[in-house]
CSV table of all heavy atoms in Angstrom, one decimal:
chain,number,residue,atom,x,y,z
A,202,ALA,N,39.4,35.7,6.7
A,202,ALA,CA,39.1,34.8,7.8
A,202,ALA,C,38.0,33.8,7.4
A,202,ALA,O,38.1,32.6,7.6
A,202,ALA,CB,38.7,35.5,9.1
A,203,LEU,N,36.9,34.4,6.8
A,203,LEU,CA,35.8,33.5,6.4
A,203,LEU,C,36.2,32.6,5.3
A,203,LEU,O,35.7,31.5,5.2
A,203,LEU,CB,34.6,34.5,6.0
A,203,LEU,CG,33.9,35.2,7.1
A,203,LEU,CD1,32.8,36.1,6.5
A,203,LEU,CD2,33.2,34.2,8.1
A,204,PHE,N,37.0,33.1,4.3
A,204,PHE,CA,37.4,32.3,3.2
A,204,PHE,C,38.2,31.1,3.7
A,204,PHE,O,38.1,30.0,3.2
A,204,PHE,CB,38.2,33.1,2.2
A,204,PHE,CG,38.5,32.4,0.9
A,204,PHE,CD1,37.6,32.3,-0.1
A,204,PHE,CD2,39.8,31.9,0.7
A,204,PHE,CE1,37.9,31.6,-1.3
A,204,PHE,CE2,40.1,31.2,-0.4
A,204,PHE,CZ,39.2,31.1,-1.4
A,205,SER,N,39.1,31.4,4.7
A,205,SER,CA,39.9,30.3,5.2
A,205,SER,C,39.1,29.3,5.9
A,205,SER,O,39.3,28.1,5.8
A,205,SER,CB,40.9,30.9,6.2
A,205,SER,OG,41.8,31.8,5.6
A,206,VAL,N,38.1,29.7,6.7
A,206,VAL,CA,37.2,28.8,7.4
A,206,VAL,C,36.4,27.9,6.3
A,206,VAL,O,36.2,26.7,6.5
A,206,VAL,CB,36.2,29.5,8.2
A,206,VAL,CG1,35.1,28.6,8.8
A,206,VAL,CG2,36.9,30.2,9.4
A,207,ALA,N,35.9,28.6,5.3
A,207,ALA,CA,35.2,27.9,4.2
A,207,ALA,C,36.1,26.8,3.5
A,207,ALA,O,35.6,25.7,3.2
A,207,ALA,CB,34.7,28.9,3.2
A,208,GLY,N,37.4,27.2,3.3
A,208,GLY,CA,38.3,26.2,2.8
A,208,GLY,C,38.5,25.0,3.7
A,208,GLY,O,38.6,23.9,3.2
A,209,ILE,N,38.5,25.3,5.0
A,209,ILE,CA,38.7,24.1,5.9
A,209,ILE,C,37.5,23.2,5.9
A,209,ILE,O,37.6,22.0,6.0
A,209,ILE,CB,38.9,24.7,7.3
A,209,ILE,CG1,40.3,25.4,7.4
A,209,ILE,CG2,38.8,23.6,8.4
A,209,ILE,CD1,40.5,26.1,8.7
A,210,THR,N,36.3,23.8,5.8
A,210,THR,CA,35.0,23.0,5.7
A,210,THR,C,35.1,22.1,4.4
A,210,THR,O,34.6,21.0,4.5
A,210,THR,CB,33.8,23.9,5.7
A,210,THR,OG1,33.7,24.6,4.5
A,210,THR,CG2,33.7,24.8,6.9
A,211,ASP,N,35.6,22.7,3.3
A,211,ASP,CA,35.7,21.9,2.1
A,211,ASP,C,36.6,20.7,2.3
A,211,ASP,O,36.3,19.6,1.8
A,211,ASP,CB,36.3,22.8,1.0
A,211,ASP,CG,36.2,22.1,-0.4
A,211,ASP,OD1,35.4,21.2,-0.5
A,211,ASP,OD2,37.0,22.5,-1.2
A,212,PHE,N,37.7,20.9,3.0
A,212,PHE,CA,38.6,19.7,3.3
A,212,PHE,C,38.0,18.7,4.2
A,212,PHE,O,38.1,17.5,4.0
A,212,PHE,CB,39.9,20.3,3.9
A,212,PHE,CG,40.9,19.2,4.4
A,212,PHE,CD1,41.6,18.5,3.5
A,212,PHE,CD2,40.9,18.9,5.8
A,212,PHE,CE1,42.5,17.5,4.0
A,212,PHE,CE2,41.8,17.9,6.2
A,212,PHE,CZ,42.6,17.2,5.4
A,213,LEU,N,37.3,19.2,5.3
A,213,LEU,CA,36.8,18.3,6.3
A,213,LEU,C,35.6,17.5,5.7
A,213,LEU,O,35.5,16.3,6.1
A,213,LEU,CB,36.3,19.1,7.5
A,213,LEU,CG,37.3,19.7,8.4
A,213,LEU,CD1,36.7,20.6,9.5
A,213,LEU,CD2,38.2,18.6,9.0
A,214,ASP,N,34.7,18.1,4.9
A,214,ASP,CA,33.6,17.3,4.5
A,214,ASP,C,34.0,16.1,3.6
A,214,ASP,O,33.4,15.0,3.6
A,214,ASP,CB,32.5,18.2,3.8
A,214,ASP,CG,32.9,18.8,2.5
A,214,ASP,OD1,34.0,18.5,2.0
A,214,ASP,OD2,32.2,19.7,2.1
A,215,GLY,N,35.0,16.4,2.8
A,215,GLY,CA,35.6,15.3,1.9
A,215,GLY,C,36.2,14.2,2.8
A,215,GLY,O,36.0,13.0,2.5
A,216,GLN,N,37.0,14.5,3.8
A,216,GLN,CA,37.7,13.6,4.6
A,216,GLN,C,36.6,12.7,5.4
A,216,GLN,O,36.8,11.5,5.5
A,216,GLN,CB,38.6,14.3,5.6
A,216,GLN,CG,39.8,14.9,4.9
A,216,GLN,CD,40.7,13.9,4.3
A,216,GLN,OE1,41.0,12.8,4.9
A,216,GLN,NE2,41.2,14.1,3.1
A,217,ILE,N,35.6,13.4,6.0
A,217,ILE,CA,34.6,12.7,6.7
A,217,ILE,C,33.8,11.7,5.9
A,217,ILE,O,33.6,10.6,6.2
A,217,ILE,CB,33.7,13.7,7.4
A,217,ILE,CG1,34.4,14.5,8.5
A,217,ILE,CG2,32.5,13.0,8.1
A,217,ILE,CD1,33.6,15.7,9.1
A,218,ALA,N,33.4,12.2,4.7
A,218,ALA,CA,32.7,11.3,3.8
A,218,ALA,C,33.4,10.1,3.3
A,218,ALA,O,32.9,9.0,3.1
A,218,ALA,CB,32.2,12.1,2.6
A,219,ARG,N,34.8,10.3,3.2
A,219,ARG,CA,35.6,9.1,2.7
A,219,ARG,C,35.8,8.1,3.9
A,219,ARG,O,35.8,6.9,3.6
A,219,ARG,CB,36.9,9.6,2.2
A,219,ARG,CG,36.9,10.1,0.7
A,219,ARG,CD,38.3,10.4,0.2
A,219,ARG,NE,38.9,11.6,0.8
A,219,ARG,CZ,38.7,12.8,0.2
A,219,ARG,NH1,38.0,13.0,-0.9
A,219,ARG,NH2,39.2,13.9,0.8
A,220,LYS,N,36.0,8.6,5.1
A,220,LYS,CA,36.3,7.7,6.2
A,220,LYS,C,35.1,7.1,6.8
A,220,LYS,O,35.3,6.1,7.5
A,220,LYS,CB,37.2,8.5,7.2
A,220,LYS,CG,38.6,8.9,6.7
A,220,LYS,CD,39.4,9.6,7.8
A,220,LYS,CE,40.8,9.9,7.3
A,220,LYS,NZ,41.6,10.6,8.3
A,221,PHE,N,34.0,7.8,6.7
A,221,PHE,CA,32.8,7.3,7.4
A,221,PHE,C,31.7,7.1,6.3
A,221,PHE,O,31.0,8.1,6.0
A,221,PHE,CB,32.3,8.2,8.5
A,221,PHE,CG,33.4,8.5,9.5
A,221,PHE,CD1,34.2,9.6,9.5
A,221,PHE,CD2,33.5,7.5,10.6
A,221,PHE,CE1,35.1,9.8,10.5
A,221,PHE,CE2,34.5,7.7,11.6
A,221,PHE,CZ,35.3,8.9,11.5
A,222,PRO,N,31.5,5.9,5.8
A,222,PRO,CA,30.5,5.6,4.8
A,222,PRO,C,29.1,6.1,5.2
A,222,PRO,O,28.3,6.4,4.3
A,222,PRO,CB,30.5,4.1,4.6
A,222,PRO,CG,31.9,3.7,5.0
A,222,PRO,CD,32.3,4.7,6.1
A,223,SER,N,28.8,6.0,6.4
A,223,SER,CA,27.4,6.4,6.9
A,223,SER,C,27.1,7.9,6.7
A,223,SER,O,26.0,8.3,6.7
A,223,SER,CB,27.2,6.0,8.4
A,223,SER,OG,28.1,6.7,9.2
A,224,GLN,N,28.2,8.7,6.5
A,224,GLN,CA,28.1,10.1,6.3
A,224,GLN,C,28.0,10.5,4.8
A,224,GLN,O,27.8,11.7,4.5
A,224,GLN,CB,29.3,10.8,6.9
A,224,GLN,CG,29.3,10.7,8.4
A,224,GLN,CD,28.2,11.5,9.1
A,224,GLN,OE1,28.0,12.6,8.9
A,224,GLN,NE2,27.4,10.7,9.9
A,225,ARG,N,28.0,9.5,3.9
A,225,ARG,CA,27.9,9.8,2.5
A,225,ARG,C,26.4,9.9,2.2
A,225,ARG,O,25.6,9.1,2.7
A,225,ARG,CB,28.6,8.7,1.7
A,225,ARG,CG,30.0,8.5,2.0
A,225,ARG,CD,30.6,7.3,1.3
A,225,ARG,NE,32.0,7.0,1.7
A,225,ARG,CZ,32.6,5.9,1.4
A,225,ARG,NH1,32.0,5.0,0.6
A,225,ARG,NH2,33.8,5.7,1.8
A,226,SER,N,26.1,10.7,1.2
A,226,SER,CA,24.7,10.8,0.8
A,226,SER,C,24.6,11.4,-0.6
A,226,SER,O,25.5,12.0,-1.1
A,226,SER,CB,23.9,11.8,1.8
A,226,SER,OG,24.3,13.1,1.6
A,227,LEU,N,23.4,11.1,-1.2
A,227,LEU,CA,23.2,11.6,-2.6
A,227,LEU,C,23.2,13.1,-2.6
A,227,LEU,O,23.7,13.8,-3.5
A,227,LEU,CB,21.9,11.0,-3.1
A,227,LEU,CG,21.4,11.5,-4.5
A,227,LEU,CD1,22.5,11.1,-5.5
A,227,LEU,CD2,20.1,10.9,-4.9
A,228,LEU,N,22.5,13.7,-1.5
A,228,LEU,CA,22.5,15.1,-1.4
A,228,LEU,C,23.9,15.7,-1.4
A,228,LEU,O,24.2,16.8,-2.0
A,228,LEU,CB,21.7,15.5,-0.2
A,228,LEU,CG,21.6,17.0,0.0
A,228,LEU,CD1,20.8,17.7,-1.1
A,228,LEU,CD2,20.9,17.3,1.4
A,229,GLY,N,24.8,15.0,-0.7
A,229,GLY,CA,26.1,15.5,-0.6
A,229,GLY,C,26.9,15.6,-1.9
A,229,GLY,O,27.7,16.5,-2.1
A,230,THR,N,26.6,14.7,-2.8
A,230,THR,CA,27.2,14.7,-4.1
A,230,THR,C,26.8,15.9,-5.0
A,230,THR,O,27.4,16.2,-6.0
A,230,THR,CB,27.0,13.4,-4.9
A,230,THR,OG1,25.6,13.3,-5.2
A,230,THR,CG2,27.4,12.2,-4.1
A,231,ILE,N,25.6,16.5,-4.5
A,231,ILE,CA,25.1,17.6,-5.3
A,231,ILE,C,25.5,19.0,-4.7
A,231,ILE,O,26.0,19.8,-5.3
A,231,ILE,CB,23.5,17.5,-5.3
A,231,ILE,CG1,23.1,16.3,-6.0
A,231,ILE,CG2,22.9,18.8,-6.0
A,231,ILE,CD1,21.6,16.0,-6.0
A,232,ILE,N,25.3,19.1,-3.3
A,232,ILE,CA,25.6,20.4,-2.7
A,232,ILE,C,27.1,20.7,-2.5
A,232,ILE,O,27.5,21.8,-2.3
A,232,ILE,CB,24.8,20.6,-1.4
A,232,ILE,CG1,25.3,19.6,-0.3
A,232,ILE,CG2,23.3,20.4,-1.6
A,232,ILE,CD1,24.6,19.8,1.0
A,233,ASP,N,27.9,19.6,-2.4
A,233,ASP,CA,29.3,19.8,-2.2
A,233,ASP,C,30.0,20.6,-3.4
A,233,ASP,O,30.6,21.6,-3.2
A,233,ASP,CB,30.0,18.5,-2.0
A,233,ASP,CG,31.6,18.7,-1.8
A,233,ASP,OD1,32.0,19.5,-1.0
A,233,ASP,OD2,32.3,18.0,-2.5
A,234,PRO,N,29.8,20.1,-4.6
A,234,PRO,CA,30.3,20.9,-5.8
A,234,PRO,C,29.7,22.3,-5.9
A,234,PRO,O,30.3,23.2,-6.4
A,234,PRO,CB,30.1,20.0,-7.0
A,234,PRO,CG,29.0,19.0,-6.6
A,234,PRO,CD,29.2,18.8,-5.1
A,235,ILE,N,28.4,22.3,-5.6
A,235,ILE,CA,27.7,23.7,-5.6
A,235,ILE,C,28.4,24.6,-4.7
A,235,ILE,O,28.6,25.8,-5.0
A,235,ILE,CB,26.2,23.5,-5.3
A,235,ILE,CG1,25.5,22.8,-6.4
A,235,ILE,CG2,25.6,24.9,-5.1
A,235,ILE,CD1,24.0,22.5,-6.2
A,236,GLY,N,28.6,24.1,-3.5
A,236,GLY,CA,29.3,25.0,-2.5
A,236,GLY,C,30.7,25.4,-2.9
A,236,GLY,O,31.1,26.6,-2.7
A,237,ASP,N,31.4,24.5,-3.5
A,237,ASP,CA,32.8,24.8,-4.1
A,237,ASP,C,32.7,25.9,-5.1
A,237,ASP,O,33.5,26.9,-5.1
A,237,ASP,CB,33.4,23.5,-4.6
A,237,ASP,CG,33.7,22.5,-3.6
A,237,ASP,OD1,33.7,22.9,-2.4
A,237,ASP,OD2,34.0,21.3,-3.9
A,238,LYS,N,31.8,25.7,-6.1
A,238,LYS,CA,31.7,26.7,-7.2
A,238,LYS,C,31.2,28.0,-6.7
A,238,LYS,O,31.6,29.1,-7.2
A,238,LYS,CB,30.8,26.1,-8.3
A,238,LYS,CG,31.3,24.9,-9.0
A,238,LYS,CD,32.7,25.1,-9.6
A,238,LYS,CE,33.3,23.9,-10.2
A,238,LYS,NZ,34.7,24.1,-10.7
A,239,MET,N,30.3,28.0,-5.8
A,239,MET,CA,29.8,29.3,-5.2
A,239,MET,C,30.9,30.0,-4.5
A,239,MET,O,31.0,31.3,-4.6
A,239,MET,CB,28.6,29.0,-4.3
A,239,MET,CG,27.3,28.8,-5.0
A,239,MET,SD,25.9,28.8,-3.8
A,239,MET,CE,25.9,30.5,-3.2
A,240,LEU,N,31.7,29.3,-3.7
A,240,LEU,CA,32.7,29.9,-2.9
A,240,LEU,C,33.8,30.5,-3.8
A,240,LEU,O,34.1,31.7,-3.7
A,240,LEU,CB,33.4,28.9,-2.0
A,240,LEU,CG,34.6,29.3,-1.2
A,240,LEU,CD1,34.2,30.4,-0.3
A,240,LEU,CD2,35.3,28.2,-0.5
A,241,MET,N,34.3,29.7,-4.8
A,241,MET,CA,35.3,30.2,-5.7
A,241,MET,C,34.8,31.3,-6.7
A,241,MET,O,35.4,32.3,-6.9
A,241,MET,CB,35.9,29.1,-6.5
A,241,MET,CG,36.8,28.2,-5.6
A,241,MET,SD,38.2,29.1,-4.9
A,241,MET,CE,39.1,29.6,-6.4
A,242,GLY,N,33.5,31.0,-7.2
A,242,GLY,CA,33.0,31.9,-8.2
A,242,GLY,C,32.7,33.3,-7.6
A,242,GLY,O,33.1,34.3,-8.2
A,243,LEU,N,32.0,33.4,-6.5
A,243,LEU,CA,31.6,34.7,-5.9
A,243,LEU,C,32.8,35.4,-5.4
A,243,LEU,O,32.9,36.6,-5.5
A,243,LEU,CB,30.6,34.5,-4.8
A,243,LEU,CG,29.2,34.0,-5.2
A,243,LEU,CD1,28.3,33.8,-4.1
A,243,LEU,CD2,28.6,35.1,-6.2
A,244,THR,N,33.7,34.7,-4.7
A,244,THR,CA,34.9,35.3,-4.2
A,244,THR,C,35.8,35.8,-5.3
A,244,THR,O,36.3,37.0,-5.3
A,244,THR,CB,35.7,34.3,-3.3
A,244,THR,OG1,34.9,33.8,-2.3
A,244,THR,CG2,36.9,35.1,-2.6
A,245,THR,N,36.0,35.0,-6.4
A,245,THR,CA,36.8,35.5,-7.5
A,245,THR,C,36.2,36.7,-8.2
A,245,THR,O,36.9,37.7,-8.5
A,245,THR,CB,36.9,34.3,-8.5
A,245,THR,OG1,37.5,33.2,-7.9
A,245,THR,CG2,37.8,34.7,-9.7
A,246,LEU,N,34.9,36.7,-8.4
A,246,LEU,CA,34.2,37.8,-9.0
A,246,LEU,C,34.3,39.1,-8.2
A,246,LEU,O,34.6,40.2,-8.7
A,246,LEU,CB,32.8,37.5,-9.3
A,246,LEU,CG,32.5,36.6,-10.5
A,246,LEU,CD1,31.0,36.2,-10.5
A,246,LEU,CD2,32.8,37.3,-11.8
A,247,SER,N,34.2,39.0,-6.9
A,247,SER,CA,34.2,40.1,-6.0
A,247,SER,C,35.7,40.7,-5.9
A,247,SER,O,35.9,41.9,-5.9
A,247,SER,CB,33.7,39.8,-4.6
A,247,SER,OG,34.5,38.7,-4.0
A,248,VAL,N,36.7,39.8,-5.9
A,248,VAL,CA,38.1,40.2,-5.8
A,248,VAL,C,38.4,40.9,-7.2
A,248,VAL,O,39.1,41.9,-7.2
A,248,VAL,CB,39.0,39.0,-5.6
A,248,VAL,CG1,40.5,39.4,-5.8
A,248,VAL,CG2,38.8,38.5,-4.2
A,249,TRP,N,37.9,40.4,-8.3
A,249,TRP,CA,38.1,41.1,-9.6
A,249,TRP,C,37.4,42.4,-9.6
A,249,TRP,O,38.0,43.4,-10.1
A,249,TRP,CB,37.6,40.2,-10.7
A,249,TRP,CG,37.4,40.9,-12.0
A,249,TRP,CD1,38.4,41.2,-12.9
A,249,TRP,CD2,36.2,41.4,-12.5
A,249,TRP,NE1,37.9,41.9,-14.0
A,249,TRP,CE2,36.5,42.0,-13.8
A,249,TRP,CE3,34.9,41.4,-12.1
A,249,TRP,CZ2,35.6,42.7,-14.6
A,249,TRP,CZ3,33.9,42.0,-12.9
A,249,TRP,CH2,34.3,42.6,-14.1
A,250,TYR,N,36.2,42.5,-9.1
A,250,TYR,CA,35.5,43.7,-9.2
A,250,TYR,C,36.1,44.9,-8.4
A,250,TYR,O,36.1,46.0,-8.8
A,250,TYR,CB,34.0,43.5,-8.6
A,250,TYR,CG,33.1,44.7,-8.7
A,250,TYR,CD1,32.5,44.9,-10.0
A,250,TYR,CD2,32.9,45.6,-7.7
A,250,TYR,CE1,31.6,46.0,-10.1
A,250,TYR,CE2,32.1,46.6,-7.8
A,250,TYR,CZ,31.4,46.9,-9.0
A,250,TYR,OH,30.6,48.0,-9.1
A,251,THR,N,36.8,44.5,-7.3
A,251,THR,CA,37.5,45.5,-6.5
A,251,THR,C,38.9,45.8,-7.1
A,251,THR,O,39.7,46.6,-6.4
A,251,THR,CB,37.6,45.0,-5.0
A,251,THR,OG1,38.3,43.8,-5.0
A,251,THR,CG2,36.3,44.9,-4.4
A,252,GLY,N,39.3,45.2,-8.2
A,252,GLY,CA,40.5,45.5,-8.8
A,252,GLY,C,41.7,44.8,-8.3
A,252,GLY,O,42.9,45.1,-8.7
A,253,GLN,N,41.5,43.8,-7.5
A,253,GLN,CA,42.6,43.0,-6.9
A,253,GLN,C,43.0,41.8,-7.8
A,253,GLN,O,44.1,41.3,-7.6
A,253,GLN,CB,42.2,42.5,-5.5
A,253,GLN,CG,41.9,43.6,-4.5
A,253,GLN,CD,41.2,43.1,-3.2
A,253,GLN,OE1,40.0,43.0,-3.2
A,253,GLN,NE2,42.0,42.7,-2.3
A,254,LEU,N,42.1,41.4,-8.7
A,254,LEU,CA,42.4,40.3,-9.6
A,254,LEU,C,42.3,40.8,-11.0
A,254,LEU,O,41.3,41.4,-11.4
A,254,LEU,CB,41.4,39.2,-9.4
A,254,LEU,CG,41.7,37.8,-10.1
A,254,LEU,CD1,42.9,37.1,-9.4
A,254,LEU,CD2,40.5,37.0,-10.2
A,255,PRO,N,43.4,40.6,-11.9
A,255,PRO,CA,43.3,41.0,-13.2
A,255,PRO,C,42.3,40.3,-14.1
A,255,PRO,O,41.9,39.2,-13.8
A,255,PRO,CB,44.7,40.7,-13.8
A,255,PRO,CG,45.3,39.6,-12.8
A,255,PRO,CD,44.7,39.9,-11.5
A,256,SER,N,41.7,41.1,-15.0
A,256,SER,CA,40.6,40.5,-15.9
A,256,SER,C,41.0,39.3,-16.6
A,256,SER,O,40.2,38.4,-16.8
A,256,SER,CB,40.1,41.6,-16.8
A,256,SER,OG,39.6,42.7,-16.1
A,257,TRP,N,42.3,39.3,-17.1
A,257,TRP,CA,42.7,38.1,-17.9
A,257,TRP,C,42.7,36.8,-17.1
A,257,TRP,O,42.4,35.8,-17.6
A,257,TRP,CB,44.1,38.4,-18.5
A,257,TRP,CG,45.2,38.7,-17.5
A,257,TRP,CD1,45.6,39.9,-17.2
A,257,TRP,CD2,46.0,37.7,-16.8
A,257,TRP,NE1,46.6,39.8,-16.2
A,257,TRP,CE2,46.9,38.5,-16.0
A,257,TRP,CE3,46.0,36.3,-16.8
A,257,TRP,CZ2,47.8,37.9,-15.2
A,257,TRP,CZ3,47.0,35.7,-16.0
A,257,TRP,CH2,47.8,36.5,-15.2
A,258,LEU,N,43.1,36.9,-15.8
A,258,LEU,CA,43.1,35.8,-14.9
A,258,LEU,C,41.6,35.3,-14.6
A,258,LEU,O,41.3,34.1,-14.5
A,258,LEU,CB,43.8,36.0,-13.7
A,258,LEU,CG,44.0,34.8,-12.7
A,258,LEU,CD1,44.7,33.6,-13.5
A,258,LEU,CD2,44.9,35.2,-11.5
Side-chain angles (χ1 to χ4, degrees):
L203 289 176
F204 186 80
S205 300
V206 171
I209 293 173
T210 66
D211 187 24
F212 171 77
L213 288 177
D214 65 12
Q216 290 295 314
I217 293 173
R219 277 189 289 270
K220 292 184 178 180
F221 302 97
S223 62
Q224 292 294 306
R225 301 171 189 169
S226 67
L227 177 59
L228 179 63
T230 64
I231 298 173
I232 65 174
D233 178 51
I235 290 177
D237 293 345
K238 294 305 178 185
M239 280 191 65
L240 175 64
M241 286 301 297
L243 290 178
T244 306
T245 301
L246 284 171
S247 59
V248 171
W249 164 78
Y250 186 80
T251 55
Q253 297 166 274
L254 188 77
S256 297
W257 58 265
L258 186 54

